[in-house]
Amino acid sequence: MIITDIIIPFDIEQKLLWKHQVNAYEVEEIFDNRPLIRFREKGRVQGENLYTARGQTEAGRFMMVLFIHKKSSEALVISAREMTKREIQSYAKSK
């Protein structure tokens, strides 16, 4: 999957900070560090589906990012959070 840019709307960026304690730069690091990307579900707009990206930040945090892959090859971030212990184990096995 090709991702040319990452879009994080201001309201989503604010939610990530207060609800999940995740900074926008950490989300960008996940995409920069070759995440494991998985299809989640079909989107409302044809050709724009929902995916998860799992990866690790430069500081070592294991994160999961929920995003819509736009037709323009951009990733529209919907949410991001730290992985649970079980998700980290699954990620380690997949990597």
Side-chain angles (χ1 to χ4, degrees), residues 23-64:
N23 290 301
Y25 72 86
E26 292 177 300
V27 172
E28 293 174 2
E29 285 179 359
I30 295 299
F31 284 100
D32 289 343
N33 293 336
R34 296 180 47 165
L36 290 176
I37 296 176
R38 296 236 166 107
F39 173 81
R40 186 80 177 243
E41 63 184 55
K42 285 190 138 214
R44 294 181 189 146
V45 176
Q46 185 177 8
E48 294 187 353
N49 299 317
L50 190 64
Y51 292 86
T52 58
R54 296 184 300 160
Q56 194 170 9
T57 66
E58 298 295 327
R61 289 178 78 182
F62 289 92
M63 310 279 293
M64 180 177 291

Side-chain angles (χ1 to χ4, degrees), residues 58-72:
E58 298 295 327
R61 289 178 78 182
F62 289 92
M63 310 279 293
M64 180 177 291
V65 179
L66 189 66
F67 69 97
I68 296 172
H69 188 250
K70 306 292 280 177
K71 291 178 185 178
S72 59

Side-chain angles (χ1 to χ4, degrees), residues 33-36 54-55 90-95:
N33 293 336
R34 296 180 47 165
L36 290 176
R54 296 184 300 160
S90 172
Y91 170 76
K93 287 180 184 177
S94 299
K95 204 65 171 156

